[in-house]
Amino acid sequence: MKATGIVRRIDDLGRVVIPKEIRRTMRIREGDPLEIYTDKDGEVIFKKYSPVGELTDFAAQLCDSLHKSTDAICAVCDRDSVIAIAGGARRELNEKRISSELERLCENRSAYRHTTGAGISVADGTDGFFVKAAAPIISEGDVLGGVLFVSPKTAVPCSELEYKLAQTAAGFLGKQMEC
């Protein structure tokens, strides 16, 4: 755990303000759920809660099935990081923070299909993997993450099949979150 040197007081309603710099760095937005952990030493730890994270095993199986069907790299991300991947790049992308461009893409609530140009990087600090297709996972009106088809090394055009499968898988995961 890293000390920030910032001290905040708890108000009379039991609230504490998380400083703007920390919220920006950790990508904590208004309305984001936080899990609270405690330990016997009196530490209180806030961790961003990812509803999609509860489906990690299921998302991994979905990625594996999509990879076997298409022979393409498939990934599922929550709003912050890649949580499941199949078909390669596991070491490079799994649990890596998604790029700000991919984050904005998911927030726009529309499917993306790469056709030409430089492309969108999947994760921060990894220039070698680009988004071919992306579809947001939406549950009860909230964007929870996305389903991606990934291109290694260079941005290549996306096939119609990958584009439709990303949308179908994202819709399916969104429905699973509602159950």
Side-chain angles (χ1 to χ4, degrees):
M1 193 164 31
K2 181 169 81 171
T4 63
I6 300 170
V7 176
R8 292 288 190 255
R9 295 198 182 279
I10 296 176
D11 71 10
D12 58 338
L13 296 175
R15 298 175 297 198
V16 63
V17 174
I18 299 172
K20 186 176 185 175
E21 310 84 55
I22 292 175
R23 292 193 318 263
R24 187 179 324 118
T25 302
M26 302 305 295
R27 294 183 178 179
I28 298 172
R29 301 167 208 70
E30 182 179 332
D32 278 355
L34 299 175
E35 259 183 305
I36 302 170
Y37 295 89
T38 61
D39 71 5
K40 59 183 175 223
D41 297 329
E43 292 180 328
V44 178
I45 300 167
F46 291 95
K47 182 179 177 189
K48 285 184 69 173
Y49 174 72
S50 170
V52 177
E54 292 181 9
L55 293 178
T56 301
D57 292 338
F58 186 70
Q61 292 171 359
L62 180 65
C63 286
D64 192 46
S65 294
L66 290 171
H67 166 66
K68 287 178 181 173
S69 298
T70 63
D71 202 32
I73 300 171
C74 180
V76 173
C77 66
D78 62 14
R79 291 178 59 186
D80 296 306
S81 61
V82 176
I83 64 163
I85 191 161
R90 182 171 282 128
R91 184 175 48 240
E92 295 90 341
L93 295 177
N94 200 31
E95 298 182 5
K96 295 287 196 264
R97 178 176 277 187
I98 63 172
S99 68
S100 54
E101 297 126 326
L102 180 53
E103 183 182 6
R104 279 191 298 276
L105 189 71
C106 288
E107 290 298 321
N108 286 338
R109 299 172 172 263
S110 59
Y112 166 82
R113 180 178 182 181
H114 179 73
T115 52
T116 60
I120 296 173
S121 181
V122 174
D124 286 340
T126 55
D127 297 327
F129 297 92
F130 298 92
V131 177
K132 288 171 61 175
I137 300 169
I138 300 173
S139 180
E140 297 178 351
D142 295 326
V143 176
L144 303 179
V147 175
L148 318 171
F149 279 94
V150 178
S151 169
K153 309 297 178 227
T154 59
V156 297
C158 172
S159 72
E160 182 72 17
L161 176 65
E162 291 166 332
Y163 181 66
K164 293 294 185 187
L165 282 173
Q167 291 174 312
T168 302
F172 182 75
L173 286 175
K175 291 289 185 198
Q176 291 301 307
M177 295 303 299
E178 293 174 1
C179 295

